[in-house]
Amino acid sequence: MDNDILELKIGDFGCCGELWDLEKHRDIAEQFQRELATGVRRTFVMVSDGKLAAEVSLVTDNGDREYTIPGARGYLSHLIVRRELRRRGIGLSMVEYACQKGRELGLSELTVGVDADNFPALSLYVRAGFDKILYTGRDGQGAYLKLLKRL
């Protein structure tokens, strides 16, 4: 399996519909497109055997200083791996790639938000070095954690 990670161009954003329902999540999709257009979001996709296998974004400013501090702290956003390709190390590869891109941008930290009951994702982020809990709380979706990794 040939796995290439590429930076998504804004005009190609529609391909993300292979991984998640852009219409059902229209508000999020529109937010992501605005952030791509303004340059505060960089989205990376993995292409495997000609199909989209995974997606992750690096956000440099989302207005929430617990998540982002321009020039210092970025936010790892929207990691998703095609269901049939999960548990093959693709998620970890995507996180590591985004971390490297963060370093290249001069960031010294990355954060990520994760649902407290999403044990596979939580385990992945801890393995990737997100080892400090910045915040625990609840939102409309339930309990979640904000984690930090020093680059």
Side-chain angles (χ1 to χ4, degrees):
M1 179 166 34
D2 186 23
N3 296 329
D4 295 318
I5 300 176
L6 311 166
E7 186 164 358
L8 188 73
K9 294 178 179 30
I10 190 166
D12 296 328
F13 182 76
C15 77
C16 294
E18 291 181 36
L19 295 175
W20 57 286
D21 189 339
L22 300 178
E23 192 58 37
K24 180 179 177 185
H25 303 284
R26 181 183 297 239
D27 291 347
I28 294 170
E30 289 174 355
Q31 172 193 339
F32 287 5
Q33 285 181 304
R34 282 191 305 276
E35 290 172 347
L36 282 167
T38 60
V40 298
R41 174 178 293 270
R42 296 178 67 184
T43 297
F44 307 100
V45 295
M46 178 181 284
V47 178
S48 177
D49 296 329
K51 293 170 63 175
L52 198 60
E55 169 189 345
V56 70
S57 290
L58 177 61
V59 179
T60 55
D61 189 1
N62 72 348
D64 179 343
R65 294 304 169 244
E66 288 182 359
Y67 277 117
T68 61
I69 300 171
R73 178 185 292 169
Y75 170 55
L76 190 70
S77 170
H78 207 253
L79 174 64
I80 186 166
V81 176
R82 186 181 293 277
R83 186 169 305 281
E84 65 269 19
L85 298 176
R86 291 179 184 168
R87 306 237 187 264
R88 296 184 187 184
I90 291 171
L92 185 58
S93 293
M94 296 299 288
V95 170
E96 289 172 346
Y97 189 86
C99 289
Q100 178 58 39
K101 290 299 179 180
R103 279 187 213 89
E104 290 172 12
L105 291 173
L107 300 176
S108 58
E109 308 175 323
L110 283 183
T111 62
V112 66
V114 60
D115 291 339
D117 63 354
N118 187 345
F119 301 115
L122 192 54
S123 174
L124 173 114
Y125 294 129
V126 169
R127 276 193 326 250
F130 289 83
D131 56 3
K132 181 177 179 187
I133 298 173
L134 290 178
Y135 178 82
T136 61
R138 296 187 71 77
D139 62 14
Q141 315 244 317
Y144 71 98
L145 306 163
K146 289 180 184 177
L147 304 176
L148 177 79
K149 174 183 175 146
R150 301 217 187 274
L151 299 177

